[in-house]
Amino acid sequence: MDLGLSGRVFVVTGGSAGLGLATARALAAEGARTVISSRDKEKVDRAVAELSPLSPTVGTVADLADPGTPGRLLELAGEVYGRVDGALISVGGPSPGTAASADDDQWRAAFESVFLGAVRCSRTVAAHLAKGGGGGAIGLVLSSSARSPITGLGISNGLRPGLAMVAKDLADEYGPRGVRVLGLLPGRIATDRTAALDRARPEARERALAGIPLGRYGEPEEFGRVAAFLLSPAASYITGTSVPIDGGALRTP
Ligand SMILES: NC(=O)c1ccc[n+]([C@@H]2O[C@H](COP(=O)([O-])OP(=O)(O)OC[C@H]3O[C@@H](n4cnc5c(N)ncnc54)[C@H](OP(=O)(O)O)[C@@H]3O)[C@@H](O)[C@H]2O)c1
């Protein structure tokens, strides 16, 4: 199947590591060109060096919590490639702990980057894609916590369900103008973040594995391939929904 990604252009935030990088890799392998961003220049440069042999890639340092970030990323894509076809919006996850134990500063920081950063970026990209007339697709990297709470990740449990509804709301508003908006719900994918969470609470790994029918964590490329498909024209009739990539762990069908 041809995904129709060749020559298309995607912005990937949080694209220097983990699920963002895995998606950028899958997009590049299909001939898509990317603008990747994250906060750390060394990580961005490393990712650009890895992806460039696959497909044209530019990187820039940008914090998703910064109100200027979405506009700058779109501007860069326009300058370098002359078009934009969509975005994958990923960002570092909120700090662990129960909802009750997180203090106001932790909630505020997570709200600014995980919630408002993603809302601002998705609405800015959606408006840009609609204005261009060609449409496109936006994927928000959320979490299985959008559907079912994860013990010990209270802030995630608080913010992700709202983001899934924001994606639905944007999909309603922008569908008539050819813009698709989706949530992606990773369960346990073996990235640096998952490794750090498991180091902090080794018992959580055993508990998580026991609840995954496929009996293992996912590999980042297993997430990246699904994300690239959903962003591609091959998924042209999928919008306003959230897709779990979780080895069967969610208890909702
Ligand atoms: N991996 C999983 O199994 C899993 C499961 C459920 C949900 N999630 C969620 O999926 C998202 C990605 O997870 P991951 O496993 O890929 O994490 P990761 O391995 O820690 O990678 C996070 C990426 O985001 C960048 N980033 C962090 N904060 C940022 C910010 N404020 N602005 C821009 N970029 C930022 C990081 O680079 P810099 O440090 O350079 O900024 C890095 O490139 C997180 O929100 C996580 O909670 C992951």
Side-chain angles (χ1 to χ4, degrees), residues 9 29 60 67 76 78 123 177 202-205 229 232 234 245 251:
V9 173
T60 188
L76 185 58
R123 76 172 183 230
R177 285 174 274 173
E203 74 283 3
R205 180 181 173 84
F229 165 70
S232 79
I245 301 107
R251 298 296 77 209

Side-chain angles (χ1 to χ4, degrees), residues 14 35 43 55 62 97 103 154 159 166 177 183 194 197 199 224-225 236 246:
V35 172
K43 281 163 75 175
S55 191
D103 63 25
L159 300 183
V166 170
R177 285 174 274 173
T194 321
L197 290 171
R199 270 195 304 277
R225 285 196 296 266
S236 53
D246 69 344

Side-chain angles (χ1 to χ4, degrees), residues 127-234:
H128 184 87
L129 294 172
K131 197 173 69 193
I138 299 168
L140 285 92
V141 180
L142 305 177
S143 164
S144 59
S145 64
R147 290 209 190 142
S148 179
I150 301 172
T151 304
L153 286 177
I155 299 182
S156 178
N157 296 335
L159 300 183
R160 305 297 195 181
L163 283 167
M165 276 301 177
V166 170
K168 185 86 188 144
D169 197 276
L170 283 168
D172 285 352
E173 183 165 350
Y174 281 96
R177 285 174 274 173
V179 180
R180 298 183 296 111
V181 188
L182 299 141
L184 294 137
L185 310 184
R188 289 263 167 169
I189 313 287
T191 64
D192 292 349
R193 169 165 170 87
T194 321
L197 290 171
D198 285 351
R199 270 195 304 277
R201 294 173 62 240
E203 74 283 3
R205 180 181 173 84
E206 294 316 311
R207 198 172 47 226
L209 280 173
I212 302 172
L214 289 183
R216 60 177 177 84
Y217 282 11
E219 294 301 323
E221 54 270 27
E222 293 179 295
F223 177 93
R225 285 196 296 266
V226 175
F229 165 70
L230 290 171
L231 290 173
S232 79

Side-chain angles (χ1 to χ4, degrees), residues 53-148:
L54 297 174
S55 191
T57 310
V58 292
T60 188
V61 173
D63 189 330
L64 197 68
D66 178 347
T69 287
R72 279 212 297 121
L73 295 175
L74 289 171
E75 213 175 301
L76 185 58
E79 268 167 34
V80 177
Y81 303 124
R83 64 184 283 169
V84 186
D85 298 283
L88 183 90
I89 302 171
S90 187
V91 64
S95 45
T98 62
S101 67
D103 63 25
D104 282 7
D105 286 342
Q106 289 172 311
W107 277 104
R108 226 173 260 122
F111 181 80
E112 285 290 335
S113 61
V114 175
F115 196 94
L116 185 52
V119 170
R120 192 190 288 122
C121 193
S122 48
R123 76 172 183 230
T124 307
V125 173
H128 184 87
L129 294 172
K131 197 173 69 193
I138 299 168
L140 285 92
V141 180
L142 305 177
S143 164
S144 59
S145 64
R147 290 209 190 142
S148 179

